[in-house]
Amino acid sequence: MARRLAIAIAVLMTAMGTTAFAQEAASPDEPGLPILLELKDGTRLNGKTVLQTVPFVADYGRMDVKMAQLRTVVFDGAGETARLTMRNGDKLQGVFD
């Protein structure tokens, strides 16, 4: 189920042309990591994810990216390739698996 949800979120972001932002850690009394989806038209959707990692394939291999370490996800114009920026400044390019 978590894999389907991650794919559904990726498809939604792709279809809407979005940037996703992982925000600061959730408050201790509420489960999940806060996320903010910013759509191409400027609409912002706030929510939480219980996903700990998302599968990602870069040129050099497949990896599980920790949601808590993600800062932004930006999809290209075609919505297939994603550019990830991590909290430490690292950048990855590839596709969600």
Side-chain angles (χ1 to χ4, degrees):
M1 170 125 176
R3 179 178 164 80
R4 286 187 186 157
L5 180 58
I7 291 170
I9 290 170
V11 168
L12 172 65
M13 291 187 302
T14 300
M16 301 300 287
T18 65
T19 303
F21 298 92
Q23 297 178 337
E24 296 302 318
S27 64
D29 58 334
E30 296 179 16
L33 179 69
I35 62 170
L36 169 66
L37 300 179
E38 186 175 310
L39 306 182
K40 201 172 195 176
D41 69 0
T43 303
R44 291 177 168 217
L45 304 171
N46 287 300
K48 289 192 175 227
T49 181
V50 294
L51 298 176
Q52 298 298 310
T53 62
V54 290
F56 191 74
V57 180
D59 291 337
Y60 44 86
R62 185 188 182 286
M63 65 194 78
D64 290 322
V65 176
K66 292 182 180 180
M67 290 291 291
Q69 294 178 354
L70 254 178
R71 180 177 307 258
T72 63
V73 177
V74 178
F75 288 92
D76 68 3
E80 300 221 357
T81 302
R83 291 186 322 269
L84 280 54
T85 303
M86 309 305 285
R87 290 192 175 277
N88 67 0
D90 288 349
K91 297 181 188 247
L92 303 170
Q93 185 167 324
V95 294
F96 287 99
D97 187 22

